[in-house]
Amino acid sequence: MPDSLDGELLKALLDEASLPRAVQGIAANLVQRLKQTVSGIVVKDFKFSTPDHFRIALGPSLKNDSTKTLKFFQPLRIHVVGSAAAGGCLKTSPGVGCTVVDVAVEVPKEFFQEKDYLDHRYHVKRMAYLQVLQQHLESADWVASSVYSTHHADVRKPCLLVKAKKPGDVCLRVLLTIPVHTFPSARLHHEKANLRNLEIQNDERLSSPHYNHSIIEDMFMDEHIKYLRGAAEVAEYYEDACVLLKVWAAKRGLLGAPDGFNGFVLSMILAYLIRSSGKLSPQMDAQQLVKGALSFLSNPATLKAGFTATGVKQNVASWRSMFPFIFVGPCGYVNIGARISRSAMDEFIHEAARSSSLLERGGRTAFEQVFLVSLYPAMRYDLHVHVKLDRSDNTAVGSCEGDIVSWRNHEKTIHDLVTKAISNRAKLVRVQHQPFVNSSDIRPMASFTPKSSKKRKHAEEQDAEDETDLFTVWVGIIFDPEHALRLVDLGPSSDNDKLAKEFQAFWGDRAELRRFKDGRICESVVWDSIPLNKRHHIPALATDYVLKRNFSPTESVEWSCNLLDPAMGMKESDSKESSPIALIQCLDRLAKRMKDMKEVPLRVVNAQPISPAFRGTDPFPPRQHQLAFGAGIGLGRSDEQMPVCPKTLDVVLQLEGSGRWPENSMAINKTKAAMALKIAEQLRSSYATPTIVTEEATDVLHEGYVFRLHINSSASGANNEAAEKYLIKGAAHAAVIATISARFPVYGAATQVAKRWISSHMLAPHIRDEVVELIMGYLFLHPGAVDPPGSREVAFIRFLDLLASHPWNVLPLFVDPEDEFTLADMQYLEKKMDSSDASSMCIATPYDTEGDLWTQRGPPGVVLKRAQALASRAAERLKVLLQGNNRMGHNLSGSFMNNLLLGDASAWESLFTPALMHYDIVLKLRRTALPFPDQALFSAKQIKKRLVKELGVDPDSFQIAEHGGKRGLQLAKMPEKVLTRGPEKARAAMLIGFDPLQSYLREAERRLGGTALLFADKFGGDLIGVALKPKMEHHGVQLPASLADFDPLGDFTPPDPPSVDEVIDELLFIGVGFVSDAYKNSGKHA
């Protein structure tokens, strides 16, 4: 039995997801109304002309089709089928938003002729019968809508979606069935050929297994319902287990795919495991049944071997050559898994394996991670590829000229090509018709929409636009991190002439014969020409090339791995010289010099890097500076502009222990400064290394970088350790993050994106870099029921989802690389979060068991809520970009996302553009006063457009002279007149590590902290957002000197809250020479 917490979660989940008895009663009433309406249709002759789209889709077999006179017969039965009848029905069908109840209308045998199973005749008559039902239902007073859909997105199997006027949250899906003996079962065997337009090979026409299945499944629907009911009779918790298994699949977006495991297939498999295989005991509870089912389904050999529910041993070898997945139903004629594709089966096995493994390991959050967390495809796949097919290709619109729907053949071809191209770079390749990615095939068909009024014309045009989605195939790839970015695809040996020619034909010009170090001479594809900063493109480039070369309908290929490149903007040269490896090697050379020093009081034992650049998490690591190469070296090395404020690389120097340190913290700091001074003198005298010494730290200019040294003397006793608390914690944090970065190669790049996003939305002053690193680290260390992220895109969307959905004010986040936290530790912190003085976020780590080291000063609750709202919106936008817009279930305001595609150059802007309309005041900074204006995401022209659009700023105001005149800070580059004075003078003019933005924010916060919250982008952003607090009280801010001296006893009346104009004046006064202008939000303050 599940533990108490899991039991409560399970009960709550089943109560929420299961179909309530009240809804069952409503559905029964609607079915009764349907029966009454259909019973009113008289037996009569009627004329039927096959709809144009239906004739085109079914191809040559209907080319001579004309208007027919058919005789309508009353249905033999109208009854509820599916999970609503057998149990285990979901309250809300995934991707639909309402309860869908399947209703079978059994068409009499007399409606068909003996040979109607040939050449789509059955499907045409089926369509005719359905059309009569639809016409009568539309005129019924209780029906709000009656529209056509397709069963499993098969155009030859239309069905009706019927909604009542009241209630409107139940939809009847009307499916047509036929009696068991309508056609001979032997004629619909999977090896028979019933389409005469198929090819003839070896004097025999090709069989039509999928076509045959589309008919025979209508004959044996009752058999399947009986089988499901039988399972419910013997297993008490079968229905609950069905609901739980469907919820599991729905959370992963697995239920909506026409080629996947739908709710019916899952219910049948569960029934098979209970009734026929003996794998599950009827005495198991719901959670045990599902856990056992997932364990069974996670075995590739079991699923690929196939199984039957007939009760007798049956040879499935003849089925295997025609269907990837074989599950012969109880009748012995129907393959319940006939529509399941190879890629869908691989996806299901992979997800079942991950979930089964997590449930087996257990843990406090195992149940939650498996059954409650939404893991749509955008969050599961590392690479997303959208393949646009040629629109002139008729087969792309879903025709059924052959045995199977045409786009299913396209899916299979693309899957085979991509799998071959990617090889072992990937654990999983999933290919799917794009409109059904994480949506439902229960959707109206645009082709059937009546053209009855001008009023509906706009909707028709919109549906026509929807049809463009039919030409897109989505490919999802989960990487194997060990092989994903390798530079060589090794082919066959040159000795094997046949395989070598096949390899050359497949890869074309990319194939080349190479001799490798071990002496082998093989065909290969080499990607070493790809720049270092674009190596993550290699799998997508391979996919792109192979599809365009080997699949002629391919019009274009768009990938996700280049989506975020413009936002990061790193040059190839920067990625080489500023890589973590290059920086650490540079530090090692400096550390060796310091360790070799003899004339220092205490020897340097170790040099630990603590800056984010060393661990690859800094979006803009320091570049080599021409003036930081040593005494008298550097000028003329490069034509690039030299920044005035080079960034520093923080390093902690560990000194050997000593018992002679003073006990006072101030004295300790003075002694450390003396130690640093001695080290600097040794570097200058022995190696001519320029150094700058202050009491806080020592800057060493070495090989183009500025290393800021911090002395750590904690080995010398408790007094030293107490004085260096934050230095020690910072070093411990750096060690944890470096460990995560070493384990997961993608971690650094993913964290860079997250930091860039936080800063672009001007949240950087409130959310520290350490917080971002830990949240991202949690996603890699504790991925839950999915693989750790294999690309920065999937890591980024998981970061956004976690930031938006985690209850930060209630639950701590445990970043625990070695699983050191006990249950008692977790419960202690959870209880601590209940206190009124708890911080808004609690992120516990082995070095910070209280979880508030980086969050005790922020973010404020209101800023955290804003961050969550922004993250939620960005996650939804990124989901649409990665999966494609299927126009199902998206609540984005505005229509701009409807036309936004993955390959658009500006797609990234929708994720990183900050909203300015929420601020009361926006300050515009001088770009020349920023140390690194080239890091800015948006140009000055784009910034001005946004100020006009969002704040209502008068465009003419930009022409007015800037605040403070033309003079001001000039930090973007070193002035020429300074450089002409030589290296030493130029070095003296550098402001190492100076950040004017942070200095301005600190001063503004000191003076206006009780009045406003300040927001800014620290990566080149030239805007500061000011949000005034509701009461605008001078709380904790510095008062003017005149008021402070007014009454020595402090008995004076506090000043009135400042007006918006007074706040602007104060901010402009603080920022003379740095702030160019201030703009008031005209929408808030007219």
Side-chain angles (χ1 to χ4, degrees), residues 628-796:
F629 279 89
I633 305 174
L635 287 180
R637 179 175 178 270
S638 172
D639 294 332
E640 292 183 6
Q641 63 184 29
M642 285 183 280
V644 179
C645 308
K647 294 177 68 173
T648 61
L649 293 166
D650 291 295
V651 177
V652 173
L653 292 186
Q654 177 68 52
L655 302 182
E656 63 181 339
S658 171
R660 300 173 62 186
W661 283 87
E663 296 182 1
N664 181 274
S665 61
M666 183 178 295
I668 290 175
N669 291 332
K670 296 290 184 182
T671 306
K672 290 198 298 182
M675 296 281 188
L677 184 61
K678 191 64 177 176
I679 293 173
E681 289 176 356
Q682 287 284 308
L683 288 172
R684 280 199 303 269
S685 61
S686 301
Y687 304 101
T689 302
T691 59
I692 302 169
V693 181
T694 66
E695 189 169 333
E696 289 76 24
T698 300
D699 292 334
V700 177
L701 282 62
H702 175 69
E703 296 185 12
Y705 302 103
V706 180
F707 293 92
R708 178 157 287 180
L709 309 181
H710 304 269
I711 303 296
N712 176 13
S713 60
S714 58
S716 299
N719 291 331
N720 299 59
E721 188 173 341
E724 298 167 2
K725 174 185 174 183
Y726 284 97
L727 185 63
I728 296 169
K729 295 291 187 182
H733 172 82
V736 169
I737 299 303
T739 301
I740 298 173
S741 185
R743 284 178 58 185
F744 305 101
V746 178
Y747 171 79
T751 307
Q752 291 177 24
V753 173
K755 288 183 179 180
R756 181 65 151 162
W757 182 85
I758 289 287
S759 189
S760 71
H761 287 281
M762 307 169 76
L763 300 170
H766 305 282
I767 300 178
R768 297 180 57 128
D769 283 353
E770 291 87 353
V771 172
V772 179
E773 290 176 342
L774 290 174
I775 293 176
M776 187 63 77
Y778 173 85
L779 294 170
F780 281 84
L781 293 171
H782 314 288
V786 290
D787 293 283
S791 70
R792 60 185 184 180
E793 290 75 26
V794 70
F796 181 42

Side-chain angles (χ1 to χ4, degrees), residues 360-428:
E360 197 66 36
R361 292 197 306 269
R364 295 186 75 204
T365 62
F367 182 90
E368 177 186 353
Q369 293 287 344
V370 172
F371 296 108
L372 301 182
V373 176
S374 294
L375 297 169
Y376 41 83
M379 292 182 64
R380 292 188 286 113
Y381 289 93
D382 299 315
L383 174 63
H384 299 257
V385 180
H386 297 177
V387 184
K388 304 287 184 180
L389 303 180
D390 187 357
R391 300 184 184 192
S392 64
D393 184 359
N394 179 49
T395 61
V397 299
S399 67
C400 292
E401 294 183 7
D403 176 49
I404 196 170
V405 180
S406 58
W407 48 263
R408 292 292 302 275
N409 280 325
H410 282 25
E411 287 177 345
K412 183 179 183 303
T413 302
I414 292 173
H415 176 264
D416 293 344
L417 289 172
V418 173
T419 302
K420 187 174 180 179
I422 295 297
S423 183
N424 65 346
R425 294 180 191 273
K427 295 180 181 178
L428 174 67

Side-chain angles (χ1 to χ4, degrees), residues 26 43 83 408 482 501 588 602 615 674 1041 1046:
I26 292 171
V43 176
S83 54
R408 292 292 302 275
E482 186 177 346
K501 287 182 178 179
D588 287 343
L602 292 177
R615 49 189 184 264
F1046 182 75

Side-chain angles (χ1 to χ4, degrees), residues 135 716 1009 1047:
Q135 290 171 355
S716 299
D1047 188 342

Side-chain angles (χ1 to χ4, degrees), residues 482-543:
E482 186 177 346
H483 304 288
L485 302 183
R486 68 166 183 267
L487 297 179
V488 179
D489 286 308
L490 197 63
S493 169
S494 58
D495 297 336
N496 193 325
D497 189 57
K498 181 182 178 182
L499 292 180
K501 287 182 178 179
E502 290 178 1
F503 188 87
Q504 292 166 7
F506 185 76
W507 285 104
D509 296 338
R510 296 284 327 185
E512 56 180 286
L513 194 63
R514 279 206 173 193
R515 180 189 294 275
F516 293 89
K517 291 181 179 180
D518 59 1
R520 289 181 299 170
I521 301 176
C522 298
E523 293 290 342
S524 60
V525 177
V526 183
W527 305 94
D528 58 358
S529 61
I530 306 299
L532 184 64
N533 62 330
K534 294 185 178 179
R535 292 281 168 86
H536 57 287
H537 292 184
I538 291 176
L541 288 170
T543 300

